[in-house]
Amino acid sequence: MDLVHYLGFLSRNTETTKTAVLRFKNSGKNSVNSWLAAVVISDLVHRKYFMNGVFVFDETLISQLLMLAESGHATEGVGFAQKHPYTMLAIATVLVILNGFFVAAEFALVKIRVSKLDKMVQDKKMFANTAKWLAVRLDHSLSACQLGITMASLALGYVGEPAFAHLIKPIFVSMNVDPDGNLLHIISFVISFSVITSLHLVIGEQAPKIFAIRRPEEMVRWCAPAMKFFFYLLFPFMYVLNWATEVLLSAIGLGGGTGHDVPHSEEEIRALLREAHIHGNLSRSEHNLLNNVFEFDDLICRLVMVPRGEVQILDINKPFPELLEYAQKTRHTRYPLCDSSLDNLLGVVHMKDLLGLDPTNADFDLRSVMREPVKVPENMPISKVLKRIQNSHQLLTFVIDEYGTTIGVVTLENVLEKIIGPVDDEFDQAEQRGITQYKIPLLGREGTRFMVLGTAPISEVEKALNLELDELDVDTVAGVLMSRSAKVPTEGDRVIFKGAIAEILKVKNDHAEQIMFTLADTDQLSSESTDHPDH
């Protein structure tokens, strides 16, 4: 209750008690009314108008006080917010919407890709050019968004809470909840602060942010015109703030660009592809194909070559009819032409060059149709091997080690299979590829077994079986077993790893061709291995 009403009340009730006056004094704490009430009470006591607990009023004094109050000198300093609460609530609503606009624009600019904006510009979509203009100046555009968010939030806190508190105050006064004390102010502040904060978070932050993330193309276009206006309007402030930020970052050793335009790393791109596959935007085959492309350049030709022991050659020292018969049995398109072995490589013979020749002509010399061999070092990345094949038009390439010895061959098929998977033509023998899984009973419980080819790369086996083979000097599983056992492999050899046991099932030319990995607990494997000791 303000001073005008209280003075009017006192003038009509000359029997008001001292308690009423003290109550009025407390209600005006920290205000102009409090000071004036203290002066009035002090003056009344000084004039001895307070007698026996009852005030005796001088009508002239009351009239003067009423005139002073009505003129505005004695009204409580409540400010514009409490005088015009509905106007301030309207302003607060506008500030919440403005905050949401800047938040949506910020996240839309961060989320959108410039390539997407280029496509929208080509399609002549509305405001696409303005959106691209902002995206090209991303650092300054985000600074404008941040400045707008900060200004709107601070202004909202200034006008929103007092206006809302003034509106809900009469509700507690009508409930007689300490209408003239501090409790009413605390309760109204807590409630108004909670409501304003909730509206700010939901309408001014969360909703526009999520919408901008889910539909950045639409949001960035519709925010672009207003954002460009604010960009120019706030540019002087942004320039100063950006300069101060750069000075601060440089002082702590973080100078340079902001990092908004830093390209994605390979791991980040793979994570994005994984998320796209999980959400159904990429099929399994597309996901695998793109992953294989990333791994493609990490492989070297030694890991994909056909090893020397499996290469089938044509020996120039044998008669032509015998060589032709051998080619008909093995059914390859290209053959290395050698003098006794791959150590004396002469060239490459293509079977198309032999069409129409007399198969009984024992004097025919294959060197007359051979092509010069293409050789590559064993550690050359297969991406470069592919380029070499394309430039030389030779689909059969020979791999040599540091001593110049031919250790295997790489074909175009070997290279492409690392991207698109196994490729077999009509004459390829049906063979077991990759890693085949079997379910078997193991010591009273079901275990898991995997059939693995000896030529399988270590990295693929570790990934598929979730094992750590821990061998750095070899490339294949067969090499791991030979390194662990420190001897030439024989059928039935068993090697225990952490979480698995490997048993050699087939050996050819001192090379482990087929290996069975059994996965189980280490204790179970140890107990089982006692019945089958290593050879």
Side-chain angles (χ1 to χ4, degrees):
M1 185 179 295
D2 59 25
L3 183 58
V4 175
H5 292 88
Y6 241 106
L7 289 178
F9 171 76
L10 293 175
S11 66
R12 295 192 299 272
N13 299 274
T14 57
E15 301 298 325
T16 302
T17 62
K18 177 181 178 181
T19 304
V21 175
L22 294 176
R23 183 180 180 185
F24 166 72
K25 179 183 177 183
N26 292 333
S27 68
K29 181 179 277 189
N30 297 325
S31 65
V32 176
N33 280 352
S34 175
W35 172 80
L36 190 55
V39 172
V40 171
I41 293 172
S42 176
D43 185 67
L44 290 176
V45 173
H46 179 71
R47 297 187 186 189
K48 299 181 181 180
Y49 288 167
F50 184 87
M51 296 178 296
N52 299 324
V54 177
F55 279 107
V56 178
F57 291 94
D58 181 271
E59 295 297 333
T60 303
L61 177 62
I62 294 298
S63 299
Q64 291 176 352
L65 288 173
L66 283 172
M67 291 176 63
L68 181 63
E70 290 172 354
S71 67
H73 295 288
T75 55
E76 186 176 351
V78 295
F80 187 82
Q82 294 186 359
K83 291 180 182 178
H84 307 280
Y86 294 104
T87 302
M88 300 307 292
L89 281 181
I91 296 175
T93 302
V94 173
L95 290 173
V96 170
I97 296 174
L98 191 62
N99 191 91
F101 164 79
F102 284 116
V103 169
E106 179 185 17
F107 278 89
L109 285 169
V110 172
K111 185 72 175 178
I112 194 70
R113 298 189 301 273
V114 177
S115 59
K116 198 75 173 180
L117 289 173
D118 291 335
K119 181 65 168 58
M120 290 192 293
V121 171
Q122 293 177 0
D123 296 340
K124 298 182 179 180
K125 291 189 176 181
M126 188 176 296
F127 306 132
N129 283 314
T130 306
K132 183 179 178 180
W133 186 90
L134 292 170
V136 171
R137 299 159 178 81
L138 185 60
D139 292 343
H140 291 297
S141 299
L142 294 181
S143 297
C145 292
Q146 284 294 323
L147 187 57
I149 292 171
T150 303
M151 295 172 64
S153 299
L154 291 176
L156 178 63
Y158 178 77
V159 304
E161 187 275 328
F164 194 85
H166 186 73
L167 286 178
I168 65 175
K169 202 169 185 179
I171 300 176
F172 294 99
V173 171
S174 64
M175 298 169 59
N176 200 28
V177 179
D178 191 22
D180 297 314
N182 292 327
L183 181 60
L184 176 60
H185 176 73
I186 294 174
I187 294 176
S188 62
F189 171 78
V190 171
I191 295 178
S192 60
F193 180 81
S194 301
V195 173
I196 292 296
T197 302
S198 300
L199 293 175
H200 182 222
L201 288 176
V202 175
I203 301 177
E205 291 283 349
Q206 292 292 87
K209 177 178 69 176
I210 294 175
F211 188 89
I213 291 175
R214 293 182 179 178
R215 297 184 179 180
E217 295 86 359
E218 299 177 16
M219 183 61 71
V220 75
R221 286 194 297 115
W222 293 113
C223 291
M227 269 304 304
K228 191 172 183 179
F229 169 76
F230 280 108
F231 184 95
Y232 284 116
L233 181 66
L234 302 176
F235 186 79
F237 304 99
M238 289 189 302
Y239 182 83
V240 175
L241 293 176
N242 285 339
W243 174 80
T245 302
E246 290 177 3
V247 170
L248 176 62
L249 293 178
S250 299
I252 60 176
L254 295 177
T258 59
H260 292 306
D261 55 350
V262 175
H264 292 293
S265 66
E266 180 178 324
E267 290 302 321
E268 290 172 333
I269 295 175
R270 288 196 182 199
L272 292 174
L273 293 175
R274 190 160 49 247
E275 290 293 324
H277 172 58
I278 293 174
H279 290 87
N281 296 322
L282 287 177
S283 66
R284 180 182 295 274
S285 58
E286 291 172 331
H287 184 223
N288 291 337
L289 184 63
L290 293 173
N291 262 334
N292 290 341
V293 170
F294 281 110
E295 295 176 357
F296 182 75
D297 202 48
D298 297 331
L299 295 174
I300 58 177
C301 58
R302 188 179 69 241
L303 299 178
V304 301
M305 71 179 184
V306 177
R308 176 188 176 112
E310 299 179 13
V311 177
Q312 295 167 331
I313 66 171
L314 298 181
D315 188 354
I316 192 64
N317 299 311
K318 295 181 180 180
F320 175 68
E322 184 179 342
L323 295 177
L324 193 60
E325 182 180 359
Y326 177 76
Q328 289 175 344
K329 290 181 180 179
T330 53
R331 295 185 174 184
H332 292 296
T333 305
R334 298 168 183 83
Y335 288 89
L337 183 62
C338 305
D339 185 0
S340 301
S341 71
L342 278 173
D343 293 328
N344 299 310
L345 178 64
L346 302 176
V348 177
V349 174
H350 197 295
M351 297 309 297
K352 287 184 179 181
D353 294 329
L354 305 183
L355 295 177
L357 297 178
D358 183 6
T360 62
N361 185 5
D363 297 328
F364 181 77
D365 190 353
L366 287 177
R367 282 175 287 197
S368 62
V369 295
M370 76 175 185
R371 292 171 170 81
E372 289 296 321
V374 177
K375 299 180 181 181
V376 295
E378 60 178 338
N379 57 354
M380 176 180 283
I382 60 175
S383 59
K384 293 185 177 181
V385 175
L386 178 61
K387 193 68 175 178
R388 180 71 65 86
I389 291 175
Q390 291 173 323
N391 293 335
S392 65
H393 306 288
Q394 291 276 10
L395 304 189
L396 181 63
T397 304
F398 297 89
V399 182
I400 60 175
D401 62 11
E402 58 183 322
Y403 303 106
T405 303
T406 303
I407 60 175
V409 298
V410 172
T411 66
L412 179 62
E413 178 180 320
N414 300 138
V415 174
L416 294 182
E417 282 182 339
K418 294 304 176 181
I419 300 178
I420 61 178
V423 179
D424 292 332
D425 61 26
E426 298 84 352
F427 301 104
D428 282 338
Q429 295 180 355
E431 60 180 10
Q432 189 176 20
R433 289 180 176 268
I435 302 171
T436 307
Q437 179 176 345
Y438 301 90
K439 295 289 186 179
I440 49 90
L442 178 64
L443 298 179
R445 54 171 288 186
E446 188 179 71
T448 304
R449 285 186 175 177
F450 293 87
M451 178 74 73
V452 179
L453 296 181
T455 55
I458 296 175
S459 58
E460 293 183 7
V461 177
E462 288 181 332
K463 182 178 179 181
L465 276 60
N466 195 25
L467 295 175
E468 292 184 6
L469 303 182
D470 296 329
E471 294 293 337
L472 301 178
D473 298 330
V474 293
D475 300 320
T476 65
V477 178
V480 173
L481 298 184
M482 184 179 293
S483 176
R484 283 289 187 96
S485 60
K487 68 183 188 67
V488 177
T490 58
E491 293 184 4
D493 284 355
R494 299 163 68 88
V495 178
I496 297 178
F497 298 93
K498 184 178 180 180
I501 187 169
E503 181 179 357
I504 299 177
L505 302 182
K506 184 179 179 181
V507 175
K508 182 179 179 181
N509 297 331
D510 297 330
H511 173 262
E513 278 198 333
Q514 293 184 356
I515 304 161
M516 181 70 75
F517 277 83
T518 303
L519 304 184
D521 295 336
T522 304
D523 294 339
Q524 292 178 332
L525 293 174
S526 298
S527 61
E528 185 185 85
S529 65
T530 56
D531 299 328
H532 304 277
D534 291 352
H535 286 64

